[in-house]
Amino acid sequence: MSSSLLSLHDVSKRFNQKTVLDQISLNVQAGEIIALVGPSGSGKSTLMNAIMRSVELSSGAIFIEHKNIQDYRNNKTYAQKVGMLHQQYDLVKQLEVVHNVLAGRLNHWGLWQSLLSLIKPQQRHIAEQALSAVGLAEKINQPTAELSGGEQQRVAIARLLVQNPMLILADEPVSALDPANAQNVLALLTKLVREQHKTLIASMHSVEYAKAYFDRMIGIKDGKIVFDLQTNQVSQQQLNALYGLVKTD
Ligand SMILES: Nc1ncnc2c1ncn2[C@@H]1O[C@H](COP(=O)(O)OP(=O)(O)OP(=O)(O)O)[C@@H](O)[C@H]1O
Ligand SMILES: [Mg+2]
């Protein structure tokens, strides 16, 4: 058996009559750091949401560790396999940073422990550890709303570290950030993924950042994979064709 962590077999998705994912097949090994690139509307978010199980497939199948993702009955179990980082950090802004970070723990906790944690943070040391990993240890009791965009995205990364999934999906994780913060967050995210032997798939609007931080690049257009290469093998011509900058026929 191969060491494939994730595999997609002829995955298609239609919304109403429109085909948004068109027979996508793909294999990802544990430890890979992959950028998904392609024009707006090409299907990147839909693909990630399908892997997250928040979009139902029209046909095809997705496997994590050779098991159909439909067969992970329990969301808690699935959260140990796959976690997602969003463009808008979806933190609860009114709460202190510590509560947002420990929300990553909800999959491991029962209801009472989760509710109790809102009064008195449970396992504060877990939050401290994750916040130090993202360089925000001193912000643990700060209201989340008082943090900058880049800092909030780092809190969201700390929450993912606490959730501790094998595969991290990131949907345009830095497109709401200025260039300095964007590079900071990408450098941090890819470093942590490497150090902790996780696997990352991120959709990226910036090809420049995709080249700088990712090992493998998958180009998607109209719901189809148009290239799937090591980042340093992707040519300018392929990128131009992907974004429709030149005529290819
Ligand atoms: N829930 C939905 N219902 C109907 N159509 C949808 C839905 N979600 C996505 N679509 C359509 O599917 C297509 C692909 O959308 P998707 O969000 O996956 O693109 P994307 O590559 O992530 O684009 P962007 O780079 O702008 O984020 C678009 O045409 C979009 O309008
Ligand atoms: Mg998208």
Side-chain angles (χ1 to χ4, degrees), residues 41 43-46 171-172 203 205:
K44 304 181 295 298
S45 297
T46 306
D171 198 0
E172 292 179 24
S203 69
H205 260 165

Side-chain angles (χ1 to χ4, degrees), residues 143-242:
T144 307
E146 289 177 12
L147 272 59
S148 73
E151 288 169 342
Q152 289 188 29
Q153 194 58 311
R154 281 149 67 195
V155 171
I157 293 172
R159 182 180 54 187
L160 261 185
L161 293 180
V162 166
Q163 181 186 333
N164 198 24
M166 303 166 69
L167 170 63
I168 295 175
L169 303 174
D171 198 0
E172 292 179 24
V174 298
S175 57
L177 303 178
D178 63 52
N181 267 313
Q183 295 192 51
N184 222 318
V185 165
L186 282 176
L188 174 73
L189 180 62
T190 50
K191 172 179 144 265
L192 290 171
V193 166
R194 284 182 216 282
E195 280 174 3
Q196 304 198 5
H197 309 291
K198 298 199 176 299
T199 305
L200 174 67
I201 303 176
S203 69
M204 297 291 299
H205 260 165
S206 161
V207 168
E208 192 189 329
Y209 293 161
K211 278 187 173 162
Y213 294 97
F214 293 78
D215 303 329
R216 173 174 166 191
M217 202 187 293
I218 299 177
I220 299 187
K221 189 176 190 175
D222 299 331
K224 294 190 184 74
I225 294 180
V226 295
F227 62 76
D228 180 352
L229 294 165
Q230 291 303 299
T231 305
N232 57 14
Q233 312 263 295
V234 178
S235 70
Q236 192 55 47
Q237 225 169 3
Q238 283 167 311
L239 292 170
N240 290 345
L242 179 67

Side-chain angles (χ1 to χ4, degrees), residues 1-11 24-34 36 47 51 61-66 167 199-201 216-218 225 228-230:
M1 214 193 292
S2 80
S3 65
S4 169
L5 171 65
L6 168 72
S7 59
L8 277 68
H9 294 213
D10 284 332
V11 166
I24 299 241
S25 290
L26 176 64
N27 260 303
V28 175
Q29 308 296 317
E32 287 199 276
I33 295 189
I34 301 174
L36 277 184
L47 184 62
I51 300 169
I62 301 177
F63 298 84
I64 297 267
E65 292 183 317
H66 305 279
L167 170 63
T199 305
L200 174 67
I201 303 176
R216 173 174 166 191
M217 202 187 293
I218 299 177
I225 294 180
D228 180 352
L229 294 165
Q230 291 303 299

Side-chain angles (χ1 to χ4, degrees), residues 48-67:
M48 280 194 271
N49 291 332
I51 300 169
M52 264 321 267
R53 308 201 299 186
S54 43
V55 154
E56 219 177 298
L57 305 185
S58 303
S59 59
I62 301 177
F63 298 84
I64 297 267
E65 292 183 317
H66 305 279
K67 178 169 166 175

